Amino acid sequence: MLFNSYRFLIFFPIVTLVYYLVPRKIRYLWLLVASYYFYMCWNAKYALLIAFSTVVTWYSGFLLGKCQESGAKASTKKWIVAASFVVNLSILGFFKYFDFALQNLNFLLGKAGARLVEKPFDIVLPVGISFYTFQALSYTVDVYRKDIEPERNILKYALFVSFFPQLVAGPIERSKNLLVQIGRMGEASAASLFDFDRIAGGLLVMLWGFFQKMVIADRIAVLVDTVFDSWYFYGSVELLLAAAAFSIQIYCDFASYSTIAIGAARVLGFSLMENFDTPYFARSIQEFWRRWHISLSTWFKDYLYIPLGGSRCGRLRRHMNIMVTFLVSGLWHGASWHFVVWGAIHGFYQIIGAETKKARERIYGHLGTKKESFSYAFGQMAVTFVLAAFAWIFFRAGSLSQACSYIKRIFTKPDWWALSDGTVYRLGLDRAELNILMASLLLLFLVSIVKYVKREAIDQFLAAQCAWFRWLSVGVLAGCIFLFGIYGPGYDASQFIYFQF
């Protein structure tokens, strides 16, 4: 079930209404049923995978709790964690990477003149499997590290794994946050009671998420798809424009899902972690990853980078840890070499940034650079955006060879006249649609400025304004979605980009 579909607009109010009508002690059961129904709208059979992952990780946590009570050997607990990881990652690997492995095996066999291996069956990737698998595995590690007590109620734990607002595309929640809140649902806390201000704030956050998705992301996707799908017909200007446009598209598309999820959870009395924090205002690639897909970045940091040794080792080993983390991150995003290269590029950025930091500081000192100036900060942001946009080409391209050809054409097919001959209006969006897009991007920029400078989300900012301004803002957002949102007869609600991961 897509957030930007009529089914969700019916589903969510019903779930919310019943949630506040049933006794607090059984609300988690209602949300569990609603969450499984939400997921089963895609493929009912794949709900068995979530259930199986839930049972395996819950039982692993249960066994770890017993080991801690009995004072069992550390090796025993490590074997339990290892078993949980092997089982869950094997399922993830089979559904997500089996075809990829088979393709590469056949490539190697073909080079050697051997017989190719036929594909035994058609594998459909379960929606959101990467997200809920990582969320469930983090619970096992948290219990092992004694960061949280084992959850005794398997149904409450099942809700933690399958909580529908963030089930399919995050944020990837931690047991220390979401599971603890689920455990307190039976208490008469403010969060579990009907709170008008909190619910209104949650709905406003959801409204902003719908604006990002339906007005910006789905509109700019038309331009991006037009160019990337026929990149060999275009020159430098169109290719550069599409690369920059995709950088905005993937941000608005992914951030919109997280925003709607955070707002929906708030309506129900839950607080989810922030997943995006104005990433394109970052002044370095390292800062970019502290602001982009925060739940995944911190997951890899806590459960992969630090266990590998993190930065508590020699320079070479530290760089290796960084590269391994980003290579795995790239593979997590998709079973294709162009995703792996995308991750490698970001790992390379991190290493080069660390290695050249002292040299850059000396150069800035000799040039008398004023680091506190706006121009210095703006220059860093611009460079960071360009580097990120370059890497996004590999992410968006259909293959590694296409990405390389796309970049090559940027440098070999200049057509700067396209800036003034109206070519930009022949990339899927006419003049009116482009004007709507530009106005929407201006609003996105203003909201981002407020968040970057004042450290306030849109609901926090509006809560401090006059009533007329709040209602006007809500009216403008709602009006833009109804008038300019990409929907209507003959249109299928656009799938969120990260559903494929």
Side-chain angles (χ1 to χ4, degrees), residues 152-174:
R152 302 295 181 182
N153 188 328
I154 190 173
L155 296 181
K156 287 186 176 181
Y157 177 73
L159 176 58
F160 163 71
V161 177
S162 64
F163 187 51
F164 77 86
Q166 47 82 228
L167 168 63
V168 176
I172 303 174
E173 270 298 339
R174 305 296 182 84

Side-chain angles (χ1 to χ4, degrees), residues 105 132 143 360 417 458:
L105 176 61
Y132 69 72
V143 174
R360 285 183 284 116
W417 55 87
I458 187 171

Side-chain angles (χ1 to χ4, degrees), residues 250-305:
I250 192 169
Y251 167 67
C252 288
D253 190 281
F254 194 14
S256 67
Y257 189 95
S258 295
T259 301
I260 297 170
I262 291 170
R266 187 177 300 177
V267 170
L268 297 170
F270 296 90
S271 177
L272 300 183
M273 70 182 297
E274 185 176 27
N275 213 17
F276 291 88
D277 183 12
T278 57
Y280 291 137
F281 287 169
R283 297 170 62 174
S284 67
I285 290 296
Q286 187 176 26
E287 183 184 351
F288 173 82
W289 279 102
R290 291 197 296 267
R291 295 173 174 273
W292 178 273
H293 201 173
I294 300 170
S295 63
L296 180 66
S297 300
T298 54
W299 197 99
F300 276 118
K301 176 184 176 182
D302 293 342
Y303 302 114
L304 180 60
Y305 178 68

Side-chain angles (χ1 to χ4, degrees), residues 102-364:
L102 193 61
Q103 291 170 6
N104 285 278
L105 176 61
N106 282 335
F107 175 80
L108 294 174
L109 290 175
K111 290 292 184 179
R115 183 180 179 182
L116 302 183
V117 179
E118 294 184 4
K119 189 176 179 180
F121 33 71
D122 189 28
I123 301 175
V124 178
L125 180 66
V127 173
I129 187 172
S130 299
F131 288 88
Y132 69 72
T133 298
F134 271 33
Q135 184 158 309
L137 288 176
S138 69
Y139 166 78
T140 303
V141 179
D142 289 342
V143 174
Y144 170 76
R145 293 175 175 174
K146 299 181 181 180
D147 291 334
I148 189 173
E149 292 294 323
E151 174 57 56
R152 302 295 181 182
N153 188 328
I154 190 173
L155 296 181
K156 287 186 176 181
Y157 177 73
L159 176 58
F160 163 71
V161 177
S162 64
F163 187 51
F164 77 86
Q166 47 82 228
L167 168 63
V168 176
I172 303 174
E173 270 298 339
R174 305 296 182 84
S175 56
K176 292 176 287 186
N177 180 36
L178 181 56
L179 185 56
V180 170
Q181 294 180 66
I182 293 172
R184 295 172 179 170
M185 287 180 65
E187 302 174 6
S189 61
S192 65
L193 300 176
F194 186 92
D195 185 303
F196 177 81
D197 290 336
R198 189 195 70 243
I199 292 174
L203 292 174
L204 176 59
V205 171
M206 292 180 69
L207 191 66
W208 175 242
F210 284 121
F211 176 85
Q212 287 180 291
K213 172 62 177 174
M214 300 175 67
V215 180
I216 301 179
D218 287 350
R219 176 168 278 101
I220 203 170
V222 176
L223 186 153
V224 172
D225 292 345
T226 298
V227 176
F228 269 89
D229 291 348
S230 303
W231 56 270
Y232 37 81
F233 287 139
Y234 298 104
S236 301
V237 170
E238 298 94 326
L239 298 176
L240 288 171
L241 178 62
F246 178 70
S247 301
I248 298 172
Q249 179 200 353
I250 192 169
Y251 167 67
C252 288
D253 190 281
F254 194 14
S256 67
Y257 189 95
S258 295
T259 301
I260 297 170
I262 291 170
R266 187 177 300 177
V267 170
L268 297 170
F270 296 90
S271 177
L272 300 183
M273 70 182 297
E274 185 176 27
N275 213 17
F276 291 88
D277 183 12
T278 57
Y280 291 137
F281 287 169
R283 297 170 62 174
S284 67
I285 290 296
Q286 187 176 26
E287 183 184 351
F288 173 82
W289 279 102
R290 291 197 296 267
R291 295 173 174 273
W292 178 273
H293 201 173
I294 300 170
S295 63
L296 180 66
S297 300
T298 54
W299 197 99
F300 276 118
K301 176 184 176 182
D302 293 342
Y303 302 114
L304 180 60
Y305 178 68
I306 291 178
L308 286 174
S311 57
R312 307 181 312 275
C313 48
R315 187 174 63 178
L316 182 61
R317 176 66 181 276
R318 182 170 65 252
H319 292 340
M320 185 181 298
N321 294 341
I322 290 173
M323 187 56 74
V324 169
T325 301
F326 277 97
L327 288 173
V328 174
S329 175
L331 193 60
W332 179 90
H333 280 84
S336 180
W337 286 113
H338 63 98
F339 288 114
V340 177
V341 171
W342 170 79
I345 290 172
H346 275 280
F348 179 75
Y349 286 160
Q350 297 269 0
I351 294 171
I352 293 299
E355 287 295 306
T356 62
K357 182 177 181 179
K358 291 183 179 179
R360 285 183 284 116
E361 292 295 330
R362 286 196 297 268
I363 293 173
Y364 295 150

Side-chain angles (χ1 to χ4, degrees), residues 219 425 428-440 484:
R219 176 168 278 101
Y425 300 115
L429 297 176
D430 58 23
R431 189 181 297 271
E433 287 294 317
L434 275 175
N435 288 337
I436 293 172
L437 177 60
M438 296 307 295
S440 302
F484 307 127

